[in-house]
Structure formats: structure tokens, C-alpha cells
Amino acid sequence: MRTCGLLVLAAVTAATLPARAQTRAAPAKPETAVFAGGCFWGVDAVFRHVRGVTSVVSGYAGGGVATARYDLVSTSTTGHAESVEVTFDPARVSYEELLRVFFTVAHDPTERDRQGPDVGSQYRSVVFYRTPQQQAAAVAMIAELERATAYPRPIVTEVVPFERFFPAEAYHQDYLARHLTSPYIVYNDLPKLKRLEERFPKLYQRP
């Protein structure tokens, strides 16, 4: 009788193993965010240094495919904004943390149709939301920063639905890392990496 009892117990245990395995939390799926905050070189570099970010692509959003070329986008007539597509692991970094980096490190959200020395609608500040949750998070972040008077001027960042993203030309990708001594990079973008490390040391990583 004892042997039969052991065999029955073993069979029951084996039968329950797949069910238990299925209850384990599945790995978080990668998510994507799209931001525009002036020249994409610096914004690209900032997010490449954020822990949990797995890919960053510089490109264009807000306009059509036929005019998604740097020479045309630079005329400020195509509707595009120089943007970055950020793929991240939500188990390591949240969308809200990416928003905070975007608003407080990657660019100045109070400058309309410009960013530093760069002027034109292609340099405007935009959050292109992909889900209602991203939209709500962006609106909430702006409201929080406004309440805290984080800036002396109003935030002018647009929060608009994402439509399409067009990768920029190859020579724009990871531009900062390949032009560390460029005066533009030294003056405008390297200080952003320093701010990221100082303000968000737990998020900062070296690519």
C-alpha cells in the first residue's frame, strides 16, 4: 500500500510541475519610446548612457516618408522633428524615468522650435506617445515639473500620438561617440552626459 501511495504522489507531483512553471512571471517585453529634443546627436548620446536602454536610433518623426531626409528636414518645411527611438527593458528602467531624463537632462523643454544654437521646427520638443499610458505619463510629468517650477519659463513640449519613425542616415547614428573632439559636441552635448551622471547616478551607465 505504501508503494502505491508513493507512486500516486509522484504522479500528482509530476502533473503539477508544468502548471507551476507556467505561473512564473514572464520576462518583461522590450518597449519603445520616441522623443524629440533638438539635435538628435546629444539626445541619442544621453539615452545610450541610461541603464536598461538596449537600443537608440536617431531619426525623424512627425512628417512623411518622402521627405525624411536630412537635407530636406533641415529646411524646417517637412513637419519632421529630429528624434530618437529608444528601446528599453521596463524591468530595469521605467518609461517615467526616461521621461525625467528627457525633461531634465537631454534638452531644455522651454525652448520653442529651437535648442541652443539650433533653430527651426525640426528642433522642437516632442513626446511621441505610443500608448495611452505613455500619454498619461508625459502629461503628468509636465504637470509635476510645472508645479515644482523646475524652469523659469513654461514647458512647451508637445505630447502627440506616434505615427511613424524614420531612421536617419548612417553617419548620424551614435554621432557623439565618433566625434568626441568636435567643438559642437564638446560645448553642447558632453555636458549633458556629465549632468546625467551627477543627477541620476543609479541610471548612468557607460555604453
Side-chain angles (χ1 to χ4, degrees):
M1 291 294 293
R2 185 180 179 187
T3 303
C4 290
L6 290 175
L7 289 174
V8 170
L9 178 61
V12 170
T13 301
T16 60
L17 283 177
R20 288 181 181 177
Q22 291 176 3
T23 61
R24 294 177 182 174
K29 293 182 179 180
E31 296 182 13
T32 303
V34 178
F35 305 113
C39 177
F40 40 30
W41 298 341
V43 183
D44 174 296
V46 166
F47 284 110
R48 287 178 186 271
H49 284 77
V50 173
R51 172 185 51 80
V53 169
T54 57
S55 173
V56 182
V57 180
S58 289
Y60 314 107
V65 62
T67 54
R69 304 200 322 262
Y70 187 69
D71 59 330
L72 295 178
V73 172
S74 296
T75 65
S76 303
T77 62
T78 69
H80 295 90
E82 290 196 12
S83 308
V84 294
E85 182 182 65
V86 181
T87 303
F88 62 99
D89 179 354
R92 301 178 62 203
V93 62
S94 68
Y95 182 71
E96 288 76 10
E97 287 175 309
L98 296 181
L99 282 172
R100 196 168 295 280
V101 168
F102 173 67
F103 279 107
T104 65
V105 173
H107 82 308
D108 180 349
T110 70
E111 294 194 321
R112 189 182 300 277
D113 290 343
R114 69 171 300 154
Q115 200 65 207
D118 302 312
V119 180
S121 61
Q122 72 271 30
Y123 299 116
R124 66 190 185 275
S125 174
V126 190
V127 174
F128 293 97
Y129 63 85
R130 303 178 68 98
T131 65
Q133 292 76 21
Q134 288 189 353
Q135 179 187 19
V139 170
M141 181 67 65
I142 292 172
E144 175 190 330
L145 293 172
E146 292 280 27
R147 285 194 303 269
T149 60
Y151 296 96
R153 299 185 301 273
I155 292 174
V156 297
T157 303
E158 302 172 13
V159 179
V160 300
F162 172 81
E163 293 183 359
R164 293 185 67 181
F165 178 85
F166 307 99
E169 296 79 358
Y171 65 89
H172 287 300
Q173 307 301 332
D174 202 10
Y175 190 91
L176 180 144
R178 295 181 289 105
H179 299 84
L180 287 173
T181 60
S182 162
Y184 181 97
I185 294 297
V186 170
Y187 183 78
N188 295 290
D189 295 332
L190 288 181
K192 296 178 181 180
L193 299 185
K194 184 177 181 180
R195 287 200 301 271
L196 176 66
E197 185 173 13
E198 291 173 349
R199 297 181 185 182
F200 301 97
K202 292 182 179 180
L203 286 180
Y204 182 84
Q205 69 173 3
R206 298 186 182 279

